[in-house]
Every structure is written in structure tokens, then in C-alpha cells.
Amino acid sequence: MPKPDLRAMQISLGPVAVFGASNFPLAFSVAGGDTASALAAGCSVVVKGHPEHPGTSELAGLAVMRAIQKNDIPAGVFSLLQAKKINVGMVLVQHPLIKAVAFTGSFSGGRALFDLASARPEPIPVYAEMGSVNPIFLLPQIIADKGTTLATALIESLTLGVGQFCTTPGLVLLVRDAATERFLCEVETCLAGKPPGVMLHNGIKRNFLAGLNELLSIDGVVRRGSPPSSLDGCLVTSVLLQVDAKVLLDNPSLAEEVFGPSAIVVVCDSRNEMLIVAERLQGQLTASVHGSNGELASFRDLLATLERKAGRLVINNFPTGVEVCASMQHGGPYPATTDSRSTSVGTYAAKRFLRPVCYQNFPQKLLPEPLRDQNLQNLWRLVDGRMSRDDL
Amino acid sequence: MPKPDLRAMQISLGPVAVFGASNFPLAFSVAGGDTASALAAGCSVVVKGHPEHPGTSELAGLAVMRAIQKNDIPAGVFSLLQAKKINVGMVLVQHPLIKAVAFTGSFSGGRALFDLASARPEPIPVYAEMGSVNPIFLLPQIIADKGTTLATALIESLTLGVGQFCTTPGLVLLVRDAATERFLCEVETCLAGKPPGVMLHNGIKRNFLAGLNELLSIDGVVRRGSPPSSLDGCLVTSVLLQVDAKVLLDNPSLAEEVFGPSAIVVVCDSRNEMLIVAERLQGQLTASVHGSNGELASFRDLLATLERKAGRLVINNFPTGVEVCASMQHGGPYPATTDSRSTSVGTYAAKRFLRPVCYQNFPQKLLPEPLRDQNLQNLWRLVDGRMSRDDL
């Protein structure tokens, strides 16, 4: 049978509501990654600025507005809303013209927006990045071989940016053996050498201290190192806690994120118990494994489990530091995000705001330029099953 | 700064619940497109068979089971559930191990599954294809030039498979002029020449007749052609209705799908009124425009509107006949589907069941084969921004 001429490409979903993140006043706020990727996808953007940095939001918003005027872009392509009350954001998500939502923040905030968007007469996708405890598995041989280096690197990662990254390690898992206590003392020493750090605003500090108190109220949770003194303003000290794996298994809330520079060391009785803890983990942005060359291969089952739990698997690196490139995946199974099929960092972040359209039997002149016979933009195109940059 | 080694690929979401469609006992049921694309993505599948064709489901299910045994595939990769009550499907969608849902059927069924899946403790994606009226715009010049050919082709498309395709045209829009009445008489004559057809089962026939009665109860809706005689079993005659555009604009329910061989001709007073109707349309699987070479270019605004409304735009073809290939888009904005970012037909249907995972700093042997330096499968890979099939 003769086949019709079918050509497909991605077009924009429509206007996107972007919620500025509390912890990234620049990179994930008004002119941050969500806004950039929505604009790159051809969507207009309405930003709801985060109430903890209204001034920074205003400055960034004005810069975007100036760029729009300078380049003769229609003014409606970008808007900034500022409000302390959450109802402004709710009205935005429910507006019929909004076709997608991007959010970075707390689990409760992200889930509330997701529920609101799903209950609309026309449901829309919500890309909520809601955090992660970013488990780090330290295998026995590498602790024995490189414990000191590892202790320093772990504390560097924990305290980077005063623990205010989505990828800050919050859970450190190891198997109890002869080297464990010496290693943990080294970690404790590294931590003690770190001066207090300034968190971004009072709200973050308040939540951090409240979260820590909840963790410490659970039987079996012990603090490594001296209790922090009460500090002024947004200053905090970093904190290391320790539990036996059994306590974690009985108290799943220990594996929920406390945003800030704190981590819980989970001591497992055996390799098998470590696998059980891994199996029980919720969805994560990242999961890291540190092991010597020899032992990594014997932990393939752990890697296979973590592949189902996280968006990015890391070997012998720490998860903090998120490269902006095509191969980055910053996302993961729920509750790390509300949409594990997407990334909020890197080239493919723009894909979140696209949908495919097929053009059947179109005359050349009416086709979008990327689909015409003549490949003016020198794009890679799949033509009759073959990748090509040729004209048709 | 030195960059980490980052490599990403797509992996399966996990077990998928597939709901067999009522109107496609083979192509969109137990061993149909949803099952095939979920398996292709590496997901196991639990099918809920449609209660209107349990025998066909059983036969197809047994064939899949035999293939699984023959090829030493784990038996849990495929299961078939049969039930008349909807609670079996509800339990399936709510099961924690199910990670995605594929459905083809009614709006009420699809939306109910979407709401259920979105309200789960861990929400999961629902790909519900819920139908469409597949509007067909007939421009003035082509009616004048090729009215007879067009009338025949329209009725062929309307009655194909007794109107039981998701892409059956249900709304035909034209501008009233000197040629209109002659053209509609030709359409009516073509329709009168069509014998009654057998629908798939009593449930479909019952819903079709009930839907028609609802349409006919609206003031201003007239039937073209003689009323159908009462027919035995699953036999029905195809039906053509006519309204003025104003009636449609006042009664949005006229633009909702009545599944079966019926179409409403919408007569617009002007080009402008036709654009208003187009602007008011809900999301569609397809939208078609028939026009002479000259007039198509002057209807770019119509095409631009339809691009925001439909997953597939068709020029001078009819939407029935859905090619299974990489460039097919069978999906569209809500309420055509619950996820306009996806297609349920064609190569990319498998993408619905995948999520990206990034592997950072992995030793070669622990990387999935497609990501290793040596490109054993000769895959196209994006390497440092360049498409390549070379080894690294």
C-alpha cells in the first residue's frame, strides 16, 4: 500500500509556571534552569518568586525584562509574580492557560502542587524536584584502604554550600567491622575542623534545627561530636548522627530529608543488612557507592537495586556538583520528584515542556522548517529509520 | 575544572498495567500496542482484559504465555486478569509495584484511572487515550473543485470499520456558500449507498445509539437522510447530522465524541466563524484540513490553531488509518489523552515506559553495555555533543 508522508517534531506545551527555589536564588529561581529550559522549549514563563529572596528575584526579573525589550520579544513571554501567601501560586497552577509546572523545593510543597494540577479539569504535568537523602554506600575494603581520604571528602561534600544542595549526602551506609570505629572517628575529627556556616535565610535554618531535633528524639539515634552551641543569625554547625541499621528499618522517617548540613551514618551488621536497607530506600536523586576495584564487582546486586531507586548512580565520587550537560540526570523516582521521566538540569530539561506533533501530507511550504526536505539547520533527523543530516 | 565521566541511558519504569480496549480486541488489547511497547521498554506487563471480549483475550494471553515458555522468559513478565467488575482494575492501578498505566477507551474510564493513579502515595503516569472527534475542515475552493471526490472519501472514512476507530471523523466544518448544499446532498447520497454495518458488541451499539439520541435532542441539530430502521444484533446504519456553527458554540457537548459511524456537519457563516470554532475545540488526536493548493496558504492561521489542539495534523488525507512508524503521533492534548507528551502508536510508544539514569564515574565493566566505550550494538550515541557510532 502507498504510505502517507508523515513527519514529526516536538513543539512547545504552552505557558509554564515556574516556582523559584528557596535554596538557589539564582540557578533555580527567576532566571534559573527551569525558566531557561521552558524558554528554550518555546514556552512562555510565569515565575512565582520565592518569598525568601524577593529582592534578588526582582533584580533577576528586571534583567530578563530588559533582555526581552532589547530583542523585540513579546512582553508576555515572561512574567514575575511576587507574593508571600501561597494562594497566588495556587491560582497560577489552576489557570487554564498554564500547561506545565516546574518546582524545586519541599516534599509537602511539591506534592500539593502536583495534587492541584492533577485535579484540574485539564490535568497538566508537574515537574517537582522535592529532594533526596542521596545515600552513600561505603564498602569495607575502601574504608580499610583509604579511610582518611574518604573521611575528608565526605565532610567536604556534606558541608559544601552549608549542606544546601539537593544532592547533599544525608545517609551514609557501611558494614560494621574492625575499621568502622576508627573511620568514624576520622570523620568526626574532619567535621570538628569545619567552622560554622551561614545558611541562606532564617526559614531554612529554622527547618534544619527542627528536623534535627526530630531525628534526635528517636531512640537509638546518637550524635557524633559535641552538641553545637546556639549561634546567631543564619549560622549553623554541621552535624553527624549515627544509628544501627535496625533502628533505621524500624523508623523509616530517619531516611527522609532534613535539608541542611547533617548526615546519618547507618551501621549495618552485614552485607546482607546493607542490601535490605538499600531495598527499602525511597526514590532518590542520586545514590553513590565507594569501593575498591575488586569489591565493586561483588556488589553488582547493590548497584542493580540502586538503579531502581535513583536518577544518578555515582561510583567513587560524591553527588554534590551537578554538571549541566546532555548526559546529566537530575531527577529520580518518587518522592525525589513527581516525574522520574524527566531531568531538571542539563540539555534535556527542555524536553519536559515539549510534545510531539505529526504533520501528514503537508506541502513543503506549510511544514515547519526543521521538517522540510531541505535541511537548512543541518539537524540530525531520523528518515525512514536512518539517522541523517542530508536533504531529502 | 576536570569534569566527571557522565553517561546516561533510558531504563524501564517497572511493571505496567495495560487495559485492553473495547474497540480493538487484537491491536489494542492483550497482545496489542501497549503491551508490545511496554515489553519493548523492558517492563513486565499485567493486562486487564476487556470484559466484552474475554475469549479473544484468553486466546491472545495463552499465545503470549507459550512464547514466554518457549523463550525461557520469566513467567512473571506477563499476566492476564479477567473480570467484569471494575474493582479488579482499580486494585491493579493502586498496587505499589505497578509503575505506569496504559489505557484506550472512554473519557470517563480514562479520567477515573488517571485520578486513581495520581492520588496514590506514589503517583504513577497514566497514558489514557480517550478519543477525539477528529475535526475535518473543508475549505471553500476544494469543495467547489472536487466536491464529489471529497464526499465519497469522507463517507469512506466515516464508515470504515463501522466508525469504531479512535480517528473516525466526527466533526466536519465548512463555510456556507453557493456550493455547500449541493456538496452536502452528495455526501448524503454516498451515505445512503452504504449498507448497515456490524459493530463489535452490544455495549458499543447501545452507547452509540444513546449518544446519537442525546445529540438529536439538542435544538438546531438536524439529521441528513432518512432515520435508520431498528436493526437486529450489532447492526447499525451510519448517520450524518447538521448544525449551524452558532448551535455548536452554544452547546459544547456537540463537540464531544459519540463513538461510532456518525458525524456532525458544522456550517459556519464565515471564514472567521470557522476559526472561532477551531479555537474553541478541545484537544484532539487528529485535525484535518482539505484545501486547494492556493487556499491552504491563506489558512495558515487555522493550521496554527490546530497545531495547539491536535497530535496529528492532516492535509488532504483522512485521519483513519494510523501508520505504525517512528514519525506517527497517536495522542494529543487533553481530553484526547491524559499525557500529550506521548504516543500510543509507533516506535516511540515504548518511550512512555522509560526513565533516564545517569552513570557517573563507572568502571567499564559495570556500565550497561550501550554506554561502554566499545559500541558493540553500533548505536547512535551523543558523545560530547556530537552524534556518533564510533567507539570512544
Side-chain angles (χ1 to χ4, degrees):
Chain A
M1 280 217 324
K3 303 288 188 189
D5 184 300
L6 295 163
R7 307 180 188 212
M9 63 177 278
Q10 306 267 347
I11 71 166
S12 66
L13 275 182
V16 175
V18 170
F19 287 77
S22 150
N23 64 329
F24 271 102
L26 292 171
F28 269 83
S29 187
V30 176
D34 285 333
T35 299
S37 52
L39 291 175
C43 300
S44 49
V45 171
V46 184
V47 176
K48 163 69 177 62
H50 196 279
E52 293 282 4
H53 50 259
T56 309
S57 295
E58 191 75 13
L59 287 171
L62 287 171
V64 176
M65 296 300 259
R66 277 196 302 274
I68 280 178
Q69 280 166 2
K70 222 175 185 173
N71 293 283
D72 281 329
I73 294 166
V77 162
F78 174 87
S79 327
L80 169 60
L81 300 177
Q82 302 250 42
K84 279 202 171 178
K85 291 196 179 160
I86 61 165
N87 62 343
V88 170
M90 289 172 67
V91 168
L92 180 60
V93 169
Q94 291 176 300
H95 194 287
L97 288 180
I98 293 293
K99 298 299 181 194
V101 177
F103 169 92
T104 301
S106 69
F107 172 76
S108 57
R111 179 72 201 229
L113 291 181
F114 175 84
D115 289 343
L116 205 59
S118 305
R120 285 168 45 126
E122 177 192 345
I124 54 172
V126 172
Y127 302 102
E129 196 267 73
M130 305 182 293
S132 177
V133 292
N134 303 297
I136 303 213
F137 294 80
L138 304 177
L139 305 187
Q141 193 58 49
I142 202 159
I143 293 182
D145 293 350
K146 300 187 178 170
T148 310
T149 318
L150 214 51
T152 311
L154 174 62
I155 294 304
E156 284 304 320
S157 179
L158 172 64
T159 56
L160 191 71
V162 199
Q164 293 166 104
F165 291 110
C166 309
T167 52
T168 300
L171 219 52
V172 180
L173 299 105
L174 41 76
V175 178
R176 191 193 316 275
D177 67 11
T180 309
E181 189 50 34
R182 195 186 60 225
F183 171 70
L184 289 178
C185 287
E186 288 186 309
V187 176
E188 200 179 312
T189 307
C190 290
L191 187 66
K194 286 278 166 191
V198 180
M199 296 195 91
L200 278 161
H201 50 77
N202 277 317
I204 288 196
K205 177 179 175 177
R206 200 165 46 238
N207 289 339
F208 173 57
L209 296 180
L212 275 182
N213 280 334
E214 271 190 46
L215 295 181
L216 283 164
S217 73
I218 294 173
D219 270 354
V221 177
V222 294
R223 177 199 288 275
R224 307 245 1 166
S226 53
S229 49
S230 173
L231 296 167
D232 288 340
C234 295
L235 274 174
V236 297
T237 33
S238 304
V239 175
L240 193 69
L241 306 175
Q242 182 179 332
V243 295
D244 285 344
K246 278 172 196 51
V247 177
L248 181 79
L249 293 172
D250 288 344
N251 297 276
S253 69
L254 282 171
E256 287 168 14
E257 186 181 26
V258 170
F259 194 78
S262 76
I264 305 178
V265 176
V266 180
V267 183
C268 307
D269 276 341
S270 62
R271 180 188 188 285
N272 190 46
E273 192 172 51
M274 186 188 251
L275 287 173
I276 292 171
V277 172
E279 189 56 53
R280 293 274 194 91
L281 286 172
Q282 291 189 295
Q284 305 288 338
L285 294 173
T286 71
S288 308
V289 177
H290 288 257
S292 67
N293 283 344
E295 70 189 335
L296 280 169
S298 67
F299 277 85
R300 277 177 191 271
D301 46 0
L302 175 63
L303 291 169
T305 297
L306 296 179
E307 198 177 49
R308 284 185 289 111
K309 302 287 182 180
R312 178 161 56 106
L313 301 180
V314 183
I315 288 187
N316 291 336
N317 278 179
F318 286 88
T320 37
V322 181
E323 199 61 35
V324 181
C325 62
S327 51
M328 176 46 67
Q329 170 59 15
H330 189 70
Y334 188 89
T337 76
T338 49
D339 192 331
S340 69
R341 300 161 292 174
S342 67
T343 178
S344 63
V345 174
T347 324
Y348 292 118
K351 276 201 174 178
R352 297 176 292 171
F353 308 113
L354 296 169
R355 68 177 178 89
V357 173
C358 171
Y359 302 81
Q360 179 171 338
N361 197 35
F362 265 53
Q364 285 292 310
K365 282 185 181 171
L366 295 177
L367 276 170
E369 196 184 281
L371 296 179
R372 293 185 194 162
D373 288 355
Q374 212 186 341
N375 187 5
L376 286 175
Q377 296 175 37
N378 199 28
L379 301 169
W380 279 104
R381 309 191 292 188
L382 184 67
V383 182
D384 294 340
R386 199 176 62 83
M387 292 297 292
S388 159
R389 291 206 281 197
D390 298 342
D391 293 341
L392 293 196
Chain B
M1 280 214 327
K3 303 289 187 189
D5 183 299
L6 295 163
R7 307 181 188 212
M9 63 176 280
Q10 305 268 347
I11 72 166
S12 65
L13 275 182
V16 175
V18 170
F19 286 77
S22 150
N23 64 328
F24 271 102
L26 293 171
F28 268 83
S29 185
V30 176
D34 285 332
T35 299
S37 52
L39 291 174
C43 300
S44 50
V45 171
V46 184
V47 177
K48 163 68 177 62
H50 195 280
E52 292 282 5
H53 51 258
T56 309
S57 295
E58 191 76 12
L59 287 170
L62 288 170
V64 176
M65 295 302 258
R66 277 195 303 275
I68 279 178
Q69 281 167 2
K70 223 175 184 171
N71 294 282
D72 281 330
I73 294 165
V77 163
F78 175 86
S79 326
L80 169 60
L81 300 177
Q82 301 251 42
K84 279 203 170 176
K85 291 194 180 163
I86 60 165
N87 62 342
V88 171
M90 289 171 68
V91 168
L92 181 60
V93 169
Q94 290 175 300
H95 193 287
L97 288 180
I98 292 292
K99 298 299 181 193
V101 177
F103 168 91
T104 301
S106 69
F107 172 76
S108 57
R111 180 73 201 227
L113 291 181
F114 175 85
D115 289 343
L116 206 60
S118 305
R120 285 169 44 126
E122 177 191 345
I124 54 173
V126 173
Y127 302 103
E129 196 268 72
M130 304 182 292
S132 177
V133 293
N134 302 297
I136 303 211
F137 293 80
L138 304 177
L139 304 186
Q141 193 57 49
I142 202 160
I143 293 182
D145 292 349
K146 300 187 178 171
T148 309
T149 317
L150 213 51
T152 311
L154 174 62
I155 294 304
E156 284 303 321
S157 179
L158 172 64
T159 58
L160 191 71
V162 199
Q164 291 164 105
F165 291 109
C166 309
T167 52
T168 300
L171 218 53
V172 180
L173 299 106
L174 41 76
V175 178
R176 192 192 317 275
D177 68 9
T180 309
E181 188 51 33
R182 195 187 59 225
F183 171 70
L184 289 177
C185 287
E186 287 185 310
V187 176
E188 201 179 311
T189 307
C190 290
L191 186 67
K194 285 279 167 191
V198 180
M199 295 195 91
L200 277 161
H201 50 77
N202 277 318
I204 289 196
K205 176 178 176 178
R206 201 165 44 237
N207 289 340
F208 174 57
L209 296 180
L212 276 182
N213 280 335
E214 270 189 48
L215 295 181
L216 283 163
S217 72
I218 295 172
D219 270 354
V221 176
V222 294
R223 177 197 288 275
R224 306 246 3 167
S226 52
S229 48
S230 173
L231 295 168
D232 288 341
C234 294
L235 274 174
V236 297
T237 34
S238 304
V239 174
L240 194 69
L241 307 175
Q242 183 180 332
V243 294
D244 284 344
K246 277 169 198 53
V247 177
L248 181 79
L249 293 172
D250 288 344
N251 296 276
S253 68
L254 282 171
E256 288 169 13
E257 187 181 25
V258 170
F259 194 77
S262 76
I264 306 178
V265 176
V266 180
V267 183
C268 307
D269 276 343
S270 62
R271 180 187 187 287
N272 192 44
E273 191 172 50
M274 185 187 252
L275 287 173
I276 292 170
V277 172
E279 190 54 54
R280 293 274 194 90
L281 286 172
Q282 291 189 295
Q284 306 287 337
L285 294 173
T286 71
S288 307
V289 177
H290 289 258
S292 66
N293 283 344
E295 71 189 333
L296 280 169
S298 67
F299 277 85
R300 276 177 192 273
D301 46 1
L302 175 63
L303 291 169
T305 297
L306 297 179
E307 198 177 49
R308 284 186 288 110
K309 301 288 182 179
R312 178 160 55 107
L313 300 180
V314 183
I315 289 187
N316 291 335
N317 279 179
F318 286 87
T320 38
V322 181
E323 200 62 34
V324 182
C325 62
S327 52
M328 175 48 66
Q329 171 58 15
H330 190 69
Y334 188 90
T337 75
T338 49
D339 192 330
S340 69
R341 299 161 293 174
S342 66
T343 178
S344 62
V345 173
T347 324
Y348 291 118
K351 277 202 174 178
R352 296 177 293 171
F353 308 113
L354 296 170
R355 67 178 178 89
V357 173
C358 171
Y359 302 82
Q360 178 171 338
N361 197 35
F362 264 54
Q364 285 292 311
K365 282 185 180 172
L366 295 178
L367 276 171
E369 196 185 281
L371 295 179
R372 293 184 195 162
D373 288 355
Q374 212 187 340
N375 187 5
L376 286 175
Q377 296 174 36
N378 200 28
L379 301 169
W380 279 104
R381 309 191 292 187
L382 184 66
V383 182
D384 294 339
R386 199 175 62 83
M387 293 296 291
S388 160
R389 290 206 281 197
D390 297 342
D391 294 340
L392 293 196

